[in-house]
Amino acid sequence: FAILIYLVGLIEPECVVFDGRTLNEVTLWFDACWTLSWTTFSTTGYGNTAPALSESDGEVMDGVHKCVAINILLMVVSFVGIVYAGAAG
């Protein structure tokens, strides 16, 4: 999932924030994507890495909120984590 987060982050780098820096400002991009991946998959919550929310940023482009792709991807990651935890017992 970290690679998928990175690929979406290439399209919308301001939508993945690590210690207050966007993905294109982080030198250890895999670390940021991996941390976001496992915190979402395990549903433990976000610490210093979090997706940016377009509603809080207030950025709307052509009537469409930004960061939709990363939010959809993280929703899928979270769903897979919940299904896995439920199946594992």
Side-chain angles (χ1 to χ4, degrees), residues 9-66:
L10 289 177
I11 299 167
E12 299 174 332
E14 68 279 357
C15 294
V16 178
V17 180
F18 186 73
D19 277 339
R21 296 174 299 181
T22 61
L23 188 60
N24 57 356
E25 297 171 339
V26 175
T27 54
L28 299 173
W29 63 267
F30 188 77
D31 184 38
C33 294
W34 177 258
T35 302
L36 184 56
S37 173
W38 76 258
T39 55
T40 303
F41 184 81
S42 64
T43 64
T44 58
Y46 301 112
N48 59 353
T49 305
L53 301 175
S54 61
E55 289 79 13
S56 64
D57 295 341
E59 296 184 38
V60 178
M61 295 178 60
D62 299 325
V64 178
H65 288 284
K66 294 178 76 175

